[in-house]
């Protein structure tokens, strides 16, 4: 699934799956770098979504304060 199609919740679920696989030693050393890259991209995606939500909420709060 492409990141553009992901929701925040889906990205977090995938991160949890990746973490569980790595913690459970379900990932070979050869796959580890690939999984870590995927996790890094998902974390960046989540960070951007949270920042956008925070910015949107702050804008709404600023409008309500000025009303």
């Amino acid at each position: 699934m492409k990141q553009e199609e992901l929701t925040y919740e889906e990205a977090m679920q995938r991160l949890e799956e990746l973490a569980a696989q790595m913690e459970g030693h379900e990932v070979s050393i050869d796959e580890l770098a690939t999984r870590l890259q995927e996790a890094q991209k998902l974390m960046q995606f989540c960070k951007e979504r949270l920042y956008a939500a925070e910015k949107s909420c702050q804008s709404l709060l600023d409008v309500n304060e000025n009303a």
Side-chain angles (χ1 to χ4, degrees):
M1 182 178 291
K2 293 181 181 180
Q3 281 190 357
E4 298 85 36
E5 300 170 359
L6 280 178
T7 65
Y8 176 84
E9 290 78 14
E10 291 168 335
M12 286 300 297
Q13 181 178 357
R14 179 63 181 148
L15 278 168
E16 289 172 4
E17 290 170 5
L18 289 169
Q21 289 171 0
M22 288 185 270
E23 288 173 357
H25 307 288
E26 297 175 29
V27 178
S28 71
I29 295 297
D30 296 328
E31 295 175 353
L32 187 58
T34 301
R35 301 289 170 96
L36 287 172
Q37 283 181 329
E38 181 182 359
Q40 182 181 21
K41 289 176 185 177
L42 288 166
M43 287 187 291
Q44 183 62 35
F45 172 83
C46 289
K47 182 178 173 182
E48 289 169 3
R49 285 287 176 107
L50 285 172
Y51 177 75
E54 179 183 24
K55 192 173 178 181
S56 177
C57 289
Q58 189 60 49
S59 293
L60 291 171
L61 292 172
D62 289 345
V63 167
N64 285 337
E65 286 179 2
N66 295 327

